[in-house]
Amino acid sequence: MWQAIRRWFDPREMRSVGSTPDYRFSLANERTFLAWLRTGLALVAGGLAAAQFLPPLPLAHLREVIAIALLLLGGTVAVRAVDHWARTERAIRLGEELPASRFPAVLALVVGLGALLLVAAVLARAVGGGP
């Protein structure tokens, strides 16, 4: 694990592997990384917004649970983005098949499930006659 983390911060390590690829592939990999990073930042911003601006919800501490879940998910996306960028760059340099990832599917399921739980909370509030 520490070896992988070290690779994130040491460009010499990355350049010592394989051969220099067509720069367009490296730039495309970097754009994908930045898109994932924006997604992580949006989730963090959503978590902060939930903590600050959501009114009290019908279930005790639901607002805090939503905020913490979004903050943790945003941090996870950011860390996963840099790991995937490094593994993809290494594969490109070695001429290997790009690494497969289940993370986008897992993220989509988590976001979808979270949305369904929020719909349930809104409906419970509407039916319960809350403000």
Side-chain angles (χ1 to χ4, degrees):
M1 179 171 128
W2 294 113
Q3 179 84 5
I5 292 173
R6 188 174 63 88
R7 274 191 233 138
W8 298 349
F9 297 102
D10 188 1
R12 290 173 295 161
E13 168 79 18
M14 186 66 69
R15 290 189 180 120
S16 70
V17 174
S19 60
T20 303
D22 183 335
Y23 70 91
R24 293 173 292 178
F25 297 122
S26 290
L27 292 175
N29 187 31
E30 188 173 321
R31 283 191 302 273
T32 302
F33 163 70
L34 292 172
W36 278 105
L37 197 55
R38 284 189 302 271
T39 301
L41 287 170
L43 289 165
V44 168
L48 291 174
Q52 290 298 310
F53 302 118
L54 272 182
L57 298 172
L59 298 174
H61 303 293
L62 181 58
R63 176 177 56 188
E64 291 79 11
V65 168
I66 292 167
I68 290 169
L70 288 170
L71 291 168
L72 290 174
L73 191 56
T76 301
V77 168
V79 170
R80 181 65 182 95
V82 71
D83 180 60
H84 189 73
W85 168 81
R87 291 185 309 117
T88 300
E89 190 66 24
R90 183 177 177 85
I92 290 170
R93 293 185 70 82
L94 292 172
E96 296 175 348
E97 191 172 317
L98 297 180
S101 177
R102 293 186 184 109
F103 189 73
V106 170
L107 180 62
L109 290 173
V110 168
V111 169
L113 179 61
L116 286 176
L117 291 172
L118 288 173
V119 166
V122 168
L123 289 174
R125 183 174 178 181
V127 171

